[in-house]
Amino acid sequence: MRGVHNQRLKIAVSEPPENGRANSATVEAIAALLGVRPGDVSLVSGTRSREKRVFVSGLDVEGATRMVMAAVRAAE
C-alpha cells in the first residue's frame, strides 16, 4: 500500500498486467488490507486501467473507510 492520494487508496503490486495477474494481486492486497477473503472483493470497473473500483461484500463504505485509514496510519 502506498497510502491515500486524492481520496483514493494507492496500492502497488509487483505482478505484470498480463492475463489478469495484476488485477488478481490488487484484489488480494485489498482483501488483506481489509481483513476479508479475496472472494469478498470484486472489481467493478477498471480491469484494464490503473484506476479501479472495487466492491467489498459485507462492508459498508464507513466501515471500509475506517479500516483503510487505520491501515494507512499503521503504515506511516
Side-chain angles (χ1 to χ4, degrees), residues 41-63:
V41 179
S42 56
L43 291 176
V44 175
S45 66
T47 58
R48 303 187 95 180
S49 170
R50 290 177 152 240
E51 292 188 17
K52 301 177 183 318
R53 296 180 107 189
V54 298
F55 174 78
V56 182
S57 179
L59 284 181
D60 59 15
V61 173
E62 292 81 17

Side-chain angles (χ1 to χ4, degrees), residues 11-34:
I11 296 175
V13 297
S14 59
E15 293 292 331
E18 299 166 350
N19 301 319
R21 290 172 51 192
N23 288 335
S24 294
T26 300
V27 165
E28 289 179 21
I30 292 170
L33 176 70
L34 298 177

